[in-house]
Amino acid sequence: MNQLSIPASSSNTRGPAEHDIRDQIVAAANEHFSQYGYAKTTVSDLAKAIGFSKAYIYKFFDSKQAIGEAICANCLGQMVAAVEQAVNTEPVSATERLRRLVKTVIATGVDLFFNDRKLYDIAAFSASERWHSAQVYEAQIKDFIVDIVRQGREAGEFERKTPLDETVDAINLALRPFVNPLLLQHNLDFIEQVPTLTTNLILRSLMP
Amino acid sequence: MNQLSIPASSSNTRGPAEHDIRDQIVAAANEHFSQYGYAKTTVSDLAKAIGFSKAYIYKFFDSKQAIGEAICANCLGQMVAAVEQAVNTEPVSATERLRRLVKTVIATGVDLFFNDRKLYDIAAFSASERWHSAQVYEAQIKDFIVDIVRQGREAGEFERKTPLDETVDAINLALRPFVNPLLLQHNLDFIEQVPTLTTNLILRSLMP
């Protein structure tokens, strides 16, 4: 009953209680996937491990993927929050913001998907099957890039001849091996030199 | 006996006859892997398919990987030859040579590993396990880049402030998603825009 305790204050069917249970399922699934991997786990395994019935889990999530999506959305949300923190809290130059963006994306990506928790296979599914969470994440990273390039252009820090779209798309592509967890796995050997080498190349391409 | 016919001219143990048989084994293995995949095939399967005994194949190759290496070396050699042809046959500007390098690497890579033959899994093994053939290939591509950057610097086409090593390493990294077959598989959706976007970004970074 511990994990299932429903707050007395709950009044409607989509109230906080339901969110709490969803969160409990996600947290437990997160633990379980970290240990046993996402691909190899079934909803039945998960139900057994959490101590819920399979039917009960299905009341909250349509499928294993839906649980994976929730975990992934959390992780990617943490990455975006870390980038937001690094890039938007102090008034700094566009150059410095771009450097921080790349460093933070790589550091939090490695940390979340490869060090702390073995969540890599969820991230890989998310990226390869283009889950909603992955698409949202990519769009958010792109928004940061747009914002940084705009700032740099307005401040005269970056060149303005190339169409904004082209500049942003090209930077996005250049950063893809480190932004996309599926590609990041093949680039772990390079993450020491990369923040500097790739960022410097991008910054040289932006010189007025 | 057809596949095994030994030329009468053969005189020493490492003579042309041995090369012929090696080539026959490699060609037959190539066919077989293309159809059934490299990972799933054993040397026994291969022996059965070619009509040789397993022991006979082992006289020429130490392992399945050694056969895979030979196939890979052929493929990557073809890619290097295509790049060489595109980049070195006409006297053109460094800018144009860089464009041709990127286009040719992508076009031949897609063709060899993804279209014509399903050799992708050999290439993936080669790249992920850093086979000798993959290392040679990467070094050759890097040599082309060094040569092109040097030419561009000498002609005043490219900037000279950044250390040559850094420029070359950064370009190498930027092109890695398309040069490395393991990464190319994740980038097939992007190969239409990429030659232009990535090459333009690199070229902007090289502006004096």
mmCIF file of all heavy atoms in Angstrom, chain A residues 159 161-162 166-167 169-171 173 176-177 182-183 186-187 190 194 197-198 200-202 204-205 207, chain B residues 159 161-162 166-167 169-171 173 176-177 182-183 186-187 190 194 197-198 200-202 204-205 207:
data_model
loop_
_atom_site.group_PDB
_atom_site.id
_atom_site.type_symbol
_atom_site.label_atom_id
_atom_site.label_comp_id
_atom_site.label_asym_id
_atom_site.label_seq_id
_atom_site.Cartn_x
_atom_site.Cartn_y
_atom_site.Cartn_z
ATOM 1 N N GLU A 159 28.532 36.912 -38.737
ATOM 2 C CA GLU A 159 28.248 37.407 -40.093
ATOM 3 C C GLU A 159 26.743 37.337 -40.386
ATOM 4 O O GLU A 159 26.029 36.542 -39.784
ATOM 5 C CB GLU A 159 29.038 36.586 -41.130
ATOM 6 C CG GLU A 159 28.736 35.075 -41.160
ATOM 7 C CD GLU A 159 27.715 34.677 -42.212
ATOM 8 O OE1 GLU A 159 27.327 35.514 -43.033
ATOM 9 O OE2 GLU A 159 27.303 33.495 -42.208
ATOM 10 N N LYS A 161 25.556 37.510 -43.851
ATOM 11 C CA LYS A 161 25.302 37.275 -45.279
ATOM 12 C C LYS A 161 24.530 35.975 -45.539
ATOM 13 O O LYS A 161 23.642 35.919 -46.376
ATOM 14 C CB LYS A 161 26.631 37.244 -46.053
ATOM 15 C CG LYS A 161 27.112 38.608 -46.497
ATOM 16 C CD LYS A 161 28.469 38.500 -47.177
ATOM 17 C CE LYS A 161 29.550 38.159 -46.146
ATOM 18 N NZ LYS A 161 30.882 37.944 -46.718
ATOM 19 N N THR A 162 24.906 34.933 -44.818
ATOM 20 C CA THR A 162 24.245 33.633 -45.015
ATOM 21 C C THR A 162 22.815 33.705 -44.472
ATOM 22 O O THR A 162 22.595 34.273 -43.402
ATOM 23 C CB THR A 162 25.009 32.541 -44.246
ATOM 24 O OG1 THR A 162 26.413 32.719 -44.467
ATOM 25 C CG2 THR A 162 24.594 31.151 -44.667
ATOM 26 N N GLU A 166 19.868 28.764 -43.121
ATOM 27 C CA GLU A 166 20.990 27.915 -43.528
ATOM 28 C C GLU A 166 22.019 27.812 -42.412
ATOM 29 O O GLU A 166 22.522 26.731 -42.109
ATOM 30 C CB GLU A 166 21.657 28.424 -44.820
ATOM 31 C CG GLU A 166 22.762 27.462 -45.213
ATOM 32 C CD GLU A 166 23.524 27.795 -46.482
ATOM 33 O OE1 GLU A 166 23.061 28.595 -47.306
ATOM 34 O OE2 GLU A 166 24.616 27.207 -46.633
ATOM 35 N N THR A 167 22.329 28.956 -41.807
ATOM 36 C CA THR A 167 23.299 28.965 -40.714
ATOM 37 C C THR A 167 22.839 28.044 -39.585
ATOM 38 O O THR A 167 23.602 27.207 -39.094
ATOM 39 C CB THR A 167 23.489 30.397 -40.181
ATOM 40 O OG1 THR A 167 23.990 31.209 -41.243
ATOM 41 C CG2 THR A 167 24.461 30.440 -39.014
ATOM 42 N N ASP A 169 20.554 25.589 -39.611
ATOM 43 C CA ASP A 169 20.488 24.176 -40.001
ATOM 44 C C ASP A 169 21.881 23.548 -40.037
ATOM 45 O O ASP A 169 22.068 22.392 -39.630
ATOM 46 C CB ASP A 169 19.826 24.018 -41.373
ATOM 47 C CG ASP A 169 18.318 24.232 -41.298
ATOM 48 O OD1 ASP A 169 17.773 24.227 -40.171
ATOM 49 O OD2 ASP A 169 17.690 24.410 -42.359
ATOM 50 N N ALA A 170 22.858 24.317 -40.534
ATOM 51 C CA ALA A 170 24.214 23.778 -40.634
ATOM 52 C C ALA A 170 24.820 23.561 -39.247
ATOM 53 O O ALA A 170 25.482 22.544 -39.004
ATOM 54 C CB ALA A 170 25.087 24.718 -41.464
ATOM 55 N N ILE A 171 24.574 24.484 -38.325
ATOM 56 C CA ILE A 171 25.089 24.308 -36.959
ATOM 57 C C ILE A 171 24.405 23.109 -36.308
ATOM 58 O O ILE A 171 25.045 22.262 -35.679
ATOM 59 C CB ILE A 171 24.857 25.579 -36.108
ATOM 60 C CG1 ILE A 171 25.667 26.749 -36.687
ATOM 61 C CG2 ILE A 171 25.227 25.344 -34.648
ATOM 62 C CD1 ILE A 171 25.425 28.076 -35.994
ATOM 63 N N LEU A 173 23.218 20.494 -37.745
ATOM 64 C CA LEU A 173 23.806 19.285 -38.321
ATOM 65 C C LEU A 173 25.178 18.997 -37.726
ATOM 66 O O LEU A 173 25.499 17.858 -37.408
ATOM 67 C CB LEU A 173 23.967 19.457 -39.830
ATOM 68 C CG LEU A 173 22.901 18.847 -40.711
ATOM 69 C CD1 LEU A 173 23.111 19.306 -42.149
ATOM 70 C CD2 LEU A 173 22.935 17.332 -40.647
ATOM 71 N N ARG A 176 24.731 17.611 -34.328
ATOM 72 C CA ARG A 176 23.914 16.410 -34.229
ATOM 73 C C ARG A 176 24.632 15.205 -33.605
ATOM 74 O O ARG A 176 24.051 14.499 -32.788
ATOM 75 C CB ARG A 176 23.402 16.041 -35.623
ATOM 76 C CG ARG A 176 21.948 15.652 -35.608
ATOM 77 C CD ARG A 176 21.443 15.327 -36.988
ATOM 78 N NE ARG A 176 20.609 14.152 -36.873
ATOM 79 C CZ ARG A 176 20.926 12.970 -37.323
ATOM 80 N NH1 ARG A 176 22.028 12.766 -37.974
ATOM 81 N NH2 ARG A 176 20.109 11.948 -37.132
ATOM 82 N N PRO A 177 25.898 14.951 -33.969
ATOM 83 C CA PRO A 177 26.578 13.783 -33.379
ATOM 84 C C PRO A 177 26.662 13.845 -31.853
ATOM 85 O O PRO A 177 26.924 12.829 -31.225
ATOM 86 C CB PRO A 177 27.983 13.840 -33.983
ATOM 87 C CG PRO A 177 27.827 14.626 -35.241
ATOM 88 C CD PRO A 177 26.740 15.609 -34.981
ATOM 89 N N LEU A 182 21.724 8.714 -29.846
ATOM 90 C CA LEU A 182 22.024 7.565 -30.693
ATOM 91 C C LEU A 182 23.397 7.720 -31.342
ATOM 92 O O LEU A 182 24.132 6.757 -31.545
ATOM 93 C CB LEU A 182 20.951 7.527 -31.786
ATOM 94 C CG LEU A 182 20.774 6.270 -32.584
ATOM 95 C CD1 LEU A 182 20.426 5.121 -31.680
ATOM 96 C CD2 LEU A 182 19.662 6.460 -33.617
ATOM 97 N N LEU A 183 23.738 8.950 -31.674
ATOM 98 C CA LEU A 183 25.028 9.211 -32.306
ATOM 99 C C LEU A 183 26.108 9.429 -31.249
ATOM 100 O O LEU A 183 27.256 9.061 -31.448
ATOM 101 C CB LEU A 183 24.929 10.438 -33.211
ATOM 102 C CG LEU A 183 23.890 10.322 -34.333
ATOM 103 C CD1 LEU A 183 23.906 11.581 -35.181
ATOM 104 C CD2 LEU A 183 24.164 9.109 -35.199
ATOM 105 N N HIS A 186 28.583 6.730 -30.372
ATOM 106 C CA HIS A 186 29.718 6.463 -31.265
ATOM 107 C C HIS A 186 30.782 7.553 -31.165
ATOM 108 O O HIS A 186 31.793 7.493 -31.838
ATOM 109 C CB HIS A 186 29.260 6.393 -32.726
ATOM 110 C CG HIS A 186 28.257 5.320 -32.970
ATOM 111 N ND1 HIS A 186 28.528 3.995 -32.777
ATOM 112 C CD2 HIS A 186 26.977 5.382 -33.393
ATOM 113 C CE1 HIS A 186 27.458 3.284 -33.067
ATOM 114 N NE2 HIS A 186 26.492 4.096 -33.445
ATOM 115 N N ASN A 187 30.471 8.576 -30.374
ATOM 116 C CA ASN A 187 31.373 9.710 -30.324
ATOM 117 C C ASN A 187 31.971 9.913 -28.947
ATOM 118 O O ASN A 187 32.584 10.931 -28.683
ATOM 119 C CB ASN A 187 30.618 10.971 -30.768
ATOM 120 C CG ASN A 187 30.294 10.921 -32.255
ATOM 121 O OD1 ASN A 187 31.191 10.861 -33.070
ATOM 122 N ND2 ASN A 187 29.023 10.892 -32.571
ATOM 123 N N PHE A 190 35.399 10.973 -28.527
ATOM 124 C CA PHE A 190 35.752 12.284 -29.062
ATOM 125 C C PHE A 190 35.296 13.423 -28.168
ATOM 126 O O PHE A 190 35.539 14.574 -28.473
ATOM 127 C CB PHE A 190 35.125 12.483 -30.443
ATOM 128 C CG PHE A 190 35.682 11.549 -31.465
ATOM 129 C CD1 PHE A 190 35.159 10.281 -31.633
ATOM 130 C CD2 PHE A 190 36.757 11.936 -32.254
ATOM 131 C CE1 PHE A 190 35.688 9.411 -32.570
ATOM 132 C CE2 PHE A 190 37.289 11.079 -33.191
ATOM 133 C CZ PHE A 190 36.755 9.808 -33.346
ATOM 134 N N VAL A 194 36.059 17.473 -28.635
ATOM 135 C CA VAL A 194 35.010 18.036 -29.462
ATOM 136 C C VAL A 194 34.485 19.393 -29.053
ATOM 137 O O VAL A 194 34.341 20.275 -29.903
ATOM 138 C CB VAL A 194 33.863 17.042 -29.613
ATOM 139 C CG1 VAL A 194 32.550 17.732 -29.804
ATOM 140 C CG2 VAL A 194 34.178 16.176 -30.792
ATOM 141 N N LEU A 197 37.056 21.752 -30.568
ATOM 142 C CA LEU A 197 37.276 21.708 -32.021
ATOM 143 C C LEU A 197 36.046 22.098 -32.820
ATOM 144 O O LEU A 197 36.104 22.952 -33.706
ATOM 145 C CB LEU A 197 37.721 20.304 -32.445
ATOM 146 C CG LEU A 197 39.186 19.952 -32.277
ATOM 147 C CD1 LEU A 197 39.439 18.532 -32.742
ATOM 148 C CD2 LEU A 197 40.057 20.925 -33.072
ATOM 149 N N THR A 198 34.919 21.444 -32.493
ATOM 150 C CA THR A 198 33.708 21.707 -33.268
ATOM 151 C C THR A 198 33.183 23.122 -33.015
ATOM 152 O O THR A 198 32.791 23.813 -33.950
ATOM 153 C CB THR A 198 32.632 20.655 -32.951
ATOM 154 O OG1 THR A 198 33.163 19.374 -33.279
ATOM 155 C CG2 THR A 198 31.364 20.884 -33.744
ATOM 156 N N ASN A 200 34.890 25.730 -32.136
ATOM 157 C CA ASN A 200 35.768 26.697 -32.812
ATOM 158 C C ASN A 200 35.505 26.734 -34.312
ATOM 159 O O ASN A 200 35.497 27.817 -34.916
ATOM 160 C CB ASN A 200 37.239 26.349 -32.571
ATOM 161 C CG ASN A 200 37.686 26.726 -31.169
ATOM 162 O OD1 ASN A 200 36.949 27.377 -30.437
ATOM 163 N ND2 ASN A 200 38.887 26.325 -30.803
ATOM 164 N N LEU A 201 35.300 25.576 -34.909
ATOM 165 C CA LEU A 201 35.008 25.553 -36.342
ATOM 166 C C LEU A 201 33.709 26.310 -36.622
ATOM 167 O O LEU A 201 33.646 27.145 -37.532
ATOM 168 C CB LEU A 201 34.918 24.108 -36.851
ATOM 169 C CG LEU A 201 34.640 23.972 -38.352
ATOM 170 C CD1 LEU A 201 35.553 22.927 -39.000
ATOM 171 C CD2 LEU A 201 33.204 23.625 -38.664
ATOM 172 N N ILE A 202 32.689 26.040 -35.817
ATOM 173 C CA ILE A 202 31.411 26.743 -36.013
ATOM 174 C C ILE A 202 31.603 28.253 -35.828
ATOM 175 O O ILE A 202 31.113 29.052 -36.626
ATOM 176 C CB ILE A 202 30.337 26.205 -35.037
ATOM 177 C CG1 ILE A 202 29.984 24.752 -35.402
ATOM 178 C CG2 ILE A 202 29.087 27.078 -35.055
ATOM 179 C CD1 ILE A 202 29.078 24.062 -34.399
ATOM 180 N N ARG A 204 34.325 29.984 -36.215
ATOM 181 C CA ARG A 204 35.048 30.567 -37.358
ATOM 182 C C ARG A 204 34.095 30.770 -38.533
ATOM 183 O O ARG A 204 34.178 31.758 -39.255
ATOM 184 C CB ARG A 204 36.230 29.666 -37.771
ATOM 185 C CG ARG A 204 37.426 29.748 -36.827
ATOM 186 C CD ARG A 204 38.702 29.172 -37.453
ATOM 187 N NE ARG A 204 38.610 27.754 -37.791
ATOM 188 C CZ ARG A 204 38.810 26.755 -36.924
ATOM 189 N NH1 ARG A 204 39.117 27.004 -35.666
ATOM 190 N NH2 ARG A 204 38.703 25.506 -37.331
ATOM 191 N N SER A 205 33.155 29.823 -38.696
ATOM 192 C CA SER A 205 32.201 29.942 -39.816
ATOM 193 C C SER A 205 31.254 31.123 -39.611
ATOM 194 O O SER A 205 30.604 31.573 -40.555
ATOM 195 C CB SER A 205 31.406 28.650 -39.975
ATOM 196 O OG SER A 205 30.332 28.606 -39.048
ATOM 197 N N MET A 207 32.193 34.060 -38.302
ATOM 198 C CA MET A 207 32.898 35.347 -38.238
ATOM 199 C C MET A 207 32.406 36.315 -39.326
ATOM 200 O O MET A 207 32.203 35.921 -40.455
ATOM 201 C CB MET A 207 34.403 35.120 -38.350
ATOM 202 C CG MET A 207 34.958 34.497 -37.073
ATOM 203 S SD MET A 207 36.708 34.843 -36.761
ATOM 204 C CE MET A 207 37.450 34.610 -38.354
ATOM 205 N N GLU B 159 41.896 30.824 -44.675
ATOM 206 C CA GLU B 159 42.599 31.562 -43.617
ATOM 207 C C GLU B 159 43.795 30.735 -43.118
ATOM 208 O O GLU B 159 43.816 29.516 -43.219
ATOM 209 C CB GLU B 159 41.639 31.890 -42.460
ATOM 210 C CG GLU B 159 40.994 30.695 -41.770
ATOM 211 C CD GLU B 159 41.718 30.237 -40.506
ATOM 212 O OE1 GLU B 159 42.651 30.936 -40.063
ATOM 213 O OE2 GLU B 159 41.352 29.171 -39.967
ATOM 214 N N LYS B 161 45.336 31.596 -39.894
ATOM 215 C CA LYS B 161 45.612 31.884 -38.482
ATOM 216 C C LYS B 161 45.501 30.634 -37.593
ATOM 217 O O LYS B 161 46.294 30.420 -36.698
ATOM 218 C CB LYS B 161 44.649 32.959 -37.960
ATOM 219 C CG LYS B 161 45.128 34.383 -38.228
ATOM 220 C CD LYS B 161 44.082 35.392 -37.770
ATOM 221 C CE LYS B 161 42.855 35.337 -38.685
ATOM 222 N NZ LYS B 161 41.774 36.245 -38.290
ATOM 223 N N THR B 162 44.482 29.838 -37.864
ATOM 224 C CA THR B 162 44.281 28.634 -37.060
ATOM 225 C C THR B 162 45.388 27.624 -37.364
ATOM 226 O O THR B 162 45.733 27.439 -38.528
ATOM 227 C CB THR B 162 42.910 28.008 -37.414
ATOM 228 O OG1 THR B 162 41.940 29.046 -37.488
ATOM 229 C CG2 THR B 162 42.491 26.969 -36.403
ATOM 230 N N GLU B 166 44.615 21.883 -36.114
ATOM 231 C CA GLU B 166 43.281 22.122 -35.563
ATOM 232 C C GLU B 166 42.246 22.202 -36.678
ATOM 233 O O GLU B 166 41.164 21.614 -36.572
ATOM 234 C CB GLU B 166 43.241 23.399 -34.708
ATOM 235 C CG GLU B 166 41.858 23.543 -34.100
ATOM 236 C CD GLU B 166 41.633 24.759 -33.213
ATOM 237 O OE1 GLU B 166 42.589 25.384 -32.742
ATOM 238 O OE2 GLU B 166 40.438 25.069 -33.008
ATOM 239 N N THR B 167 42.590 22.921 -37.735
ATOM 240 C CA THR B 167 41.653 23.041 -38.860
ATOM 241 C C THR B 167 41.322 21.661 -39.433
ATOM 242 O O THR B 167 40.150 21.322 -39.639
ATOM 243 C CB THR B 167 42.264 23.929 -39.968
ATOM 244 O OG1 THR B 167 42.501 25.228 -39.422
ATOM 245 C CG2 THR B 167 41.339 24.045 -41.159
ATOM 246 N N ASP B 169 41.699 18.620 -38.054
ATOM 247 C CA ASP B 169 40.960 17.765 -37.109
ATOM 248 C C ASP B 169 39.496 18.170 -37.018
ATOM 249 O O ASP B 169 38.609 17.316 -36.929
ATOM 250 C CB ASP B 169 41.601 17.835 -35.708
ATOM 251 C CG ASP B 169 42.913 17.067 -35.651
ATOM 252 O OD1 ASP B 169 43.192 16.281 -36.573
ATOM 253 O OD2 ASP B 169 43.677 17.268 -34.684
ATOM 254 N N ALA B 170 39.247 19.473 -37.033
ATOM 255 C CA ALA B 170 37.869 19.948 -36.913
ATOM 256 C C ALA B 170 37.054 19.580 -38.159
ATOM 257 O O ALA B 170 35.900 19.165 -38.058
ATOM 258 C CB ALA B 170 37.842 21.452 -36.680
ATOM 259 N N ILE B 171 37.661 19.696 -39.331
ATOM 260 C CA ILE B 171 36.954 19.312 -40.563
ATOM 261 C C ILE B 171 36.699 17.803 -40.553
ATOM 262 O O ILE B 171 35.609 17.338 -40.881
ATOM 263 C CB ILE B 171 37.766 19.706 -41.814
ATOM 264 C CG1 ILE B 171 37.888 21.236 -41.899
ATOM 265 C CG2 ILE B 171 37.116 19.159 -43.090
ATOM 266 C CD1 ILE B 171 38.776 21.724 -43.040
ATOM 267 N N LEU B 173 36.321 15.876 -38.012
ATOM 268 C CA LEU B 173 35.220 15.620 -37.079
ATOM 269 C C LEU B 173 33.873 15.994 -37.695
ATOM 270 O O LEU B 173 32.895 15.265 -37.544
ATOM 271 C CB LEU B 173 35.413 16.454 -35.821
ATOM 272 C CG LEU B 173 36.026 15.773 -34.610
ATOM 273 C CD1 LEU B 173 36.343 16.804 -33.541
ATOM 274 C CD2 LEU B 173 35.079 14.722 -34.047
ATOM 275 N N ARG B 176 32.928 13.354 -40.102
ATOM 276 C CA ARG B 176 32.853 11.993 -39.572
ATOM 277 C C ARG B 176 31.481 11.326 -39.745
ATOM 278 O O ARG B 176 31.416 10.147 -40.098
ATOM 279 C CB ARG B 176 33.233 12.007 -38.094
ATOM 280 C CG ARG B 176 34.172 10.890 -37.745
ATOM 281 C CD ARG B 176 34.600 10.937 -36.297
ATOM 282 N NE ARG B 176 34.568 9.598 -35.770
ATOM 283 C CZ ARG B 176 33.670 9.124 -34.933
ATOM 284 N NH1 ARG B 176 32.740 9.897 -34.452
ATOM 285 N NH2 ARG B 176 33.703 7.866 -34.545
ATOM 286 N N PRO B 177 30.372 12.039 -39.497
ATOM 287 C CA PRO B 177 29.070 11.392 -39.646
ATOM 288 C C PRO B 177 28.812 10.847 -41.050
ATOM 289 O O PRO B 177 27.915 10.041 -41.238
ATOM 290 C CB PRO B 177 28.078 12.512 -39.330
ATOM 291 C CG PRO B 177 28.842 13.486 -38.509
ATOM 292 C CD PRO B 177 30.254 13.419 -39.004
ATOM 293 N N LEU B 182 29.419 3.556 -39.996
ATOM 294 C CA LEU B 182 28.630 3.294 -38.800
ATOM 295 C C LEU B 182 27.714 4.471 -38.485
ATOM 296 O O LEU B 182 26.592 4.309 -38.005
ATOM 297 C CB LEU B 182 29.613 3.086 -37.646
ATOM 298 C CG LEU B 182 29.126 2.450 -36.374
ATOM 299 C CD1 LEU B 182 28.591 1.065 -36.659
ATOM 300 C CD2 LEU B 182 30.277 2.349 -35.372
ATOM 301 N N LEU B 183 28.223 5.661 -38.738
ATOM 302 C CA LEU B 183 27.438 6.869 -38.474
ATOM 303 C C LEU B 183 26.557 7.213 -39.664
ATOM 304 O O LEU B 183 25.452 7.725 -39.506
ATOM 305 C CB LEU B 183 28.378 8.038 -38.160
ATOM 306 C CG LEU B 183 29.297 7.813 -36.956
ATOM 307 C CD1 LEU B 183 30.176 9.025 -36.727
ATOM 308 C CD2 LEU B 183 28.481 7.509 -35.707
ATOM 309 N N HIS B 186 22.881 6.440 -39.703
ATOM 310 C CA HIS B 186 21.947 7.290 -38.967
ATOM 311 C C HIS B 186 21.728 8.621 -39.660
ATOM 312 O O HIS B 186 20.982 9.459 -39.171
ATOM 313 C CB HIS B 186 22.471 7.572 -37.555
ATOM 314 C CG HIS B 186 22.667 6.335 -36.737
ATOM 315 N ND1 HIS B 186 21.638 5.496 -36.416
ATOM 316 C CD2 HIS B 186 23.780 5.793 -36.195
ATOM 317 C CE1 HIS B 186 22.106 4.492 -35.694
ATOM 318 N NE2 HIS B 186 23.401 4.640 -35.545
ATOM 319 N N ASN B 187 22.455 8.822 -40.738
ATOM 320 C CA ASN B 187 22.404 10.120 -41.387
ATOM 321 C C ASN B 187 21.845 10.047 -42.801
ATOM 322 O O ASN B 187 21.928 11.009 -43.534
ATOM 323 C CB ASN B 187 23.804 10.742 -41.398
ATOM 324 C CG ASN B 187 24.242 11.127 -39.991
ATOM 325 O OD1 ASN B 187 23.614 11.947 -39.352
ATOM 326 N ND2 ASN B 187 25.292 10.495 -39.507
ATOM 327 N N PHE B 190 19.686 12.631 -44.086
ATOM 328 C CA PHE B 190 20.254 13.963 -44.209
ATOM 329 C C PHE B 190 21.166 14.118 -45.421
ATOM 330 O O PHE B 190 21.676 15.185 -45.662
ATOM 331 C CB PHE B 190 21.063 14.305 -42.950
ATOM 332 C CG PHE B 190 20.224 14.413 -41.722
ATOM 333 C CD1 PHE B 190 19.912 13.296 -40.976
ATOM 334 C CD2 PHE B 190 19.713 15.639 -41.333
ATOM 335 C CE1 PHE B 190 19.120 13.396 -39.848
ATOM 336 C CE2 PHE B 190 18.920 15.750 -40.203
ATOM 337 C CZ PHE B 190 18.620 14.620 -39.461
ATOM 338 N N VAL B 194 23.020 17.571 -46.769
ATOM 339 C CA VAL B 194 24.304 17.679 -46.125
ATOM 340 C C VAL B 194 25.465 18.146 -46.976
ATOM 341 O O VAL B 194 26.218 19.019 -46.557
ATOM 342 C CB VAL B 194 24.657 16.373 -45.420
ATOM 343 C CG1 VAL B 194 26.135 16.148 -45.368
ATOM 344 C CG2 VAL B 194 24.089 16.452 -44.037
ATOM 345 N N LEU B 197 25.013 21.925 -46.959
ATOM 346 C CA LEU B 197 25.022 22.627 -45.669
ATOM 347 C C LEU B 197 26.346 22.502 -44.933
ATOM 348 O O LEU B 197 26.928 23.496 -44.504
ATOM 349 C CB LEU B 197 23.909 22.087 -44.768
ATOM 350 C CG LEU B 197 22.506 22.628 -44.983
ATOM 351 C CD1 LEU B 197 21.545 21.994 -43.995
ATOM 352 C CD2 LEU B 197 22.495 24.148 -44.795
ATOM 353 N N THR B 198 26.802 21.259 -44.786
ATOM 354 C CA THR B 198 28.038 21.046 -44.032
ATOM 355 C C THR B 198 29.244 21.611 -44.769
ATOM 356 O O THR B 198 30.100 22.255 -44.165
ATOM 357 C CB THR B 198 28.222 19.551 -43.719
ATOM 358 O OG1 THR B 198 27.098 19.110 -42.949
ATOM 359 C CG2 THR B 198 29.487 19.296 -42.915
ATOM 360 N N ASN B 200 29.300 24.057 -46.885
ATOM 361 C CA ASN B 200 29.265 25.525 -46.814
ATOM 362 C C ASN B 200 29.719 26.024 -45.442
ATOM 363 O O ASN B 200 30.444 27.013 -45.355
ATOM 364 C CB ASN B 200 27.854 26.051 -47.095
ATOM 365 C CG ASN B 200 27.522 25.999 -48.577
ATOM 366 O OD1 ASN B 200 28.381 25.693 -49.401
ATOM 367 N ND2 ASN B 200 26.275 26.270 -48.912
ATOM 368 N N LEU B 201 29.287 25.344 -44.398
ATOM 369 C CA LEU B 201 29.715 25.753 -43.054
ATOM 370 C C LEU B 201 31.233 25.630 -42.944
ATOM 371 O O LEU B 201 31.912 26.543 -42.467
ATOM 372 C CB LEU B 201 29.014 24.916 -41.985
ATOM 373 C CG LEU B 201 29.371 25.294 -40.535
ATOM 374 C CD1 LEU B 201 28.118 25.366 -39.662
ATOM 375 C CD2 LEU B 201 30.357 24.333 -39.907
ATOM 376 N N ILE B 202 31.764 24.510 -43.389
ATOM 377 C CA ILE B 202 33.227 24.323 -43.328
ATOM 378 C C ILE B 202 33.927 25.404 -44.142
ATOM 379 O O ILE B 202 34.911 26.005 -43.693
ATOM 380 C CB ILE B 202 33.617 22.913 -43.825
ATOM 381 C CG1 ILE B 202 33.105 21.848 -42.851
ATOM 382 C CG2 ILE B 202 35.132 22.796 -44.018
ATOM 383 C CD1 ILE B 202 33.256 20.421 -43.341
ATOM 384 N N ARG B 204 32.840 28.372 -44.909
ATOM 385 C CA ARG B 204 32.766 29.671 -44.234
ATOM 386 C C ARG B 204 33.808 29.744 -43.121
ATOM 387 O O ARG B 204 34.430 30.772 -42.905
ATOM 388 C CB ARG B 204 31.355 29.919 -43.658
ATOM 389 C CG ARG B 204 30.320 30.289 -44.712
ATOM 390 C CD ARG B 204 29.040 30.896 -44.100
ATOM 391 N NE ARG B 204 28.331 29.990 -43.210
ATOM 392 C CZ ARG B 204 27.482 29.054 -43.604
ATOM 393 N NH1 ARG B 204 27.208 28.881 -44.882
ATOM 394 N NH2 ARG B 204 26.876 28.291 -42.713
ATOM 395 N N SER B 205 34.029 28.597 -42.442
ATOM 396 C CA SER B 205 35.015 28.593 -41.350
ATOM 397 C C SER B 205 36.433 28.760 -41.880
ATOM 398 O O SER B 205 37.346 29.092 -41.133
ATOM 399 C CB SER B 205 34.915 27.289 -40.560
ATOM 400 O OG SER B 205 35.622 26.250 -41.221
ATOM 401 N N MET B 207 37.238 30.815 -44.414
ATOM 402 C CA MET B 207 37.421 32.098 -45.111
ATOM 403 C C MET B 207 38.537 32.922 -44.471
ATOM 404 O O MET B 207 38.628 33.000 -43.253
ATOM 405 C CB MET B 207 36.099 32.872 -45.139
ATOM 406 C CG MET B 207 35.118 32.240 -46.103
ATOM 407 S SD MET B 207 33.889 33.375 -46.783
ATOM 408 C CE MET B 207 33.387 34.319 -45.376
#
